[in-house]
Amino acid sequence: MSDHDFQVAEIEEKRRRHDVMAHVHAFGQAAPEAAAIIHWGATSCYVTDNADLIFLRDGLDILRPKLAGAIQKLSGFAQTHKNLACLGYTHGQPAQLTTMGKRACLWIQDLLMDLRNLERARSDLRFRGVKGTVGTQASFLQIFKGDHEKVERLDEIVTKKAGFDSAFTITSQTYSRKIDVDVGHALGSLGATCQRIGGDIRHLAMFKELEEPFEKDQIGSSAMAYKRNPMRSERLCSLGRQLVNLAHNAEDTFAAQWLERSLDDSAVRRSSLPETFLLADALMSLLNNICSGLEVYPAVIKRRINEELPFMATENLIMAMVDKGGSRQHAHEHIRVLSHEAAEQVKIHGHDNDLIERVMKDPFFQPIHNIIPELLDSKTFIGRAPQQVEKFTGAGGEVQKALQDYQDHLASAPMTELRV
């Protein structure tokens, strides 16, 4: 075969309005002695569906190591920052403290689920094989003069040559479009994860706690020269959203199939399947690039903790007062009054949070005045976050086990570079 043969196929397709038959005629011209038996017993989907299954398999094989690379990079980030206390948020409001490394583990946990989804989708793939026009293998049974064993043997040979361990026993003219649904779900779920991670990074960039890579001569805004817009993470969210939405296409196509097959799946799949994988691949490039250069600003994080920590510490203060023999209810009421006074200073007057100063001046809290600095130590608010990070990402942990099959790729993977 040469490029010329594809030019011939292009001419034939314009003439015959049938892609497979255009190639059958082109191949017949390239191999005249075989022209009479090319496509014997087969249908178009013998060519196109089997090829699509090869594309799905190889596409998943390309994506999985890239996803493993992003997980490895985030794991290193989590290890580095497993002890760095930062504000945790629920309902978009400051809650208790967590650590920057623990937050990254939330992302990794989701990505590990995506990796398992892709691995499962890959392992579930089987070949369509040699099945004929409606899946009954009638044409091949005729070729082999009613010899069922030869038909099955041909199915096995073709399946092995295509690199598959097994073929579906039951198909119609096509492989079930449910396969596209399953693969689409796995990729769409990955898109949702990327969108979620990108959103978190963008929020943290708003707080100036964390930023994506920003190069020396990079321009954030054409008008506002000072800006560092998180364009990578914004793109991660944008393409992730498109991948999620595109995955629904496979469901609609599957549901619309009639009986043994209808052709309304053909045109849409020719665009949607490649686009789904191209989107996923672009997301992996973005995610690997972002995770290679996340910048953390501990001073900003500490300042933001100090703004909220006095309120977070109120339960510690109440517990300590009870430990010293005081009344829990009396301590709670004193803290409630002082907290509202401090909140008024912050919200109405724009002052710093002075709750601790108020506690230190209140004689009621005199029994714990000498231990208040200890009660305010941020390390006492992060629970087992560092230990969880270590267990999750360290030696023998879930991450290491999940990445075992990708070590060769991880050892040689190049740095992901973005050109735009």
Side-chain angles (χ1 to χ4, degrees), residues 239-395:
L239 297 182
R241 184 163 60 249
Q242 173 67 356
L243 182 53
V244 169
N245 291 328
L246 196 60
H248 298 320
N249 194 299
E251 296 173 342
D252 293 337
T253 300
F254 164 66
Q257 288 302 286
W258 294 358
L259 305 174
E260 276 65 47
R261 183 288 153 95
S262 57
L263 196 62
D264 62 334
D265 70 332
S266 180
V268 67
R269 291 176 67 255
R270 293 182 191 215
S271 63
S272 63
L273 288 182
E275 188 177 351
T276 298
F277 277 88
L278 289 170
L279 281 168
D281 191 62
L283 286 170
M284 291 302 92
S285 295
L286 280 166
L287 191 60
N288 272 280
N289 180 270
I290 292 169
C291 295
S292 296
L294 289 170
E295 296 186 54
V296 178
Y297 301 108
V300 176
I301 292 172
K302 183 177 181 181
R303 173 174 58 78
R304 289 176 54 76
I305 288 175
N306 289 339
E307 291 173 354
E308 303 292 341
L309 192 60
F311 292 138
M312 295 180 184
T314 54
E315 185 174 7
N316 283 8
L317 299 177
I318 294 171
M319 297 289 286
M321 282 296 295
V322 175
D323 190 56
K324 294 292 185 179
S327 163
R328 189 265 178 196
Q329 276 58 252
H330 290 164
H332 184 279
E333 179 60 18
H334 276 267
I335 285 292
R336 186 189 69 81
V337 172
L338 295 180
S339 295
H340 285 293
E341 291 174 355
E344 181 179 344
Q345 292 299 311
V346 173
K347 296 177 181 178
I348 304 301
H349 304 290
H351 296 163
D352 292 337
N353 190 331
D354 65 354
L355 175 58
I356 299 305
E357 287 85 344
R358 292 174 183 273
V359 171
M360 292 297 291
K361 293 176 182 177
D362 190 331
F364 178 82
F365 291 101
Q366 192 279 329
I368 64 170
H369 280 171
N370 64 322
I371 62 170
I372 282 181
E374 178 184 333
L375 298 174
L376 292 172
D377 184 353
S378 62
K379 293 179 181 177
T380 66
F381 289 84
I382 60 175
R384 299 191 64 253
Q387 289 76 21
Q388 289 179 347
V389 173
E390 185 60 36
K391 182 178 180 180
F392 186 57
T393 64

Side-chain angles (χ1 to χ4, degrees), residues 77 86-89 98-101 103-104 107 196-212 228 230 233 294-297 300-301 303-304:
F77 176 87
C86 63
L87 290 175
Y89 286 84
T98 183
T99 71
M100 190 64 73
R103 177 176 284 136
W107 305 336
R196 184 269 166 99
I197 294 172
D200 279 358
I201 294 173
R202 291 163 65 194
H203 278 99
L204 294 173
M206 288 169 57
F207 303 150
K208 296 181 171 60
E209 293 187 10
L210 173 75
E211 288 182 327
E212 65 180 32
R228 283 187 56 160
S233 299
L294 289 170
E295 296 186 54
V296 178
Y297 301 108
V300 176
I301 292 172
R303 173 174 58 78
R304 289 176 54 76

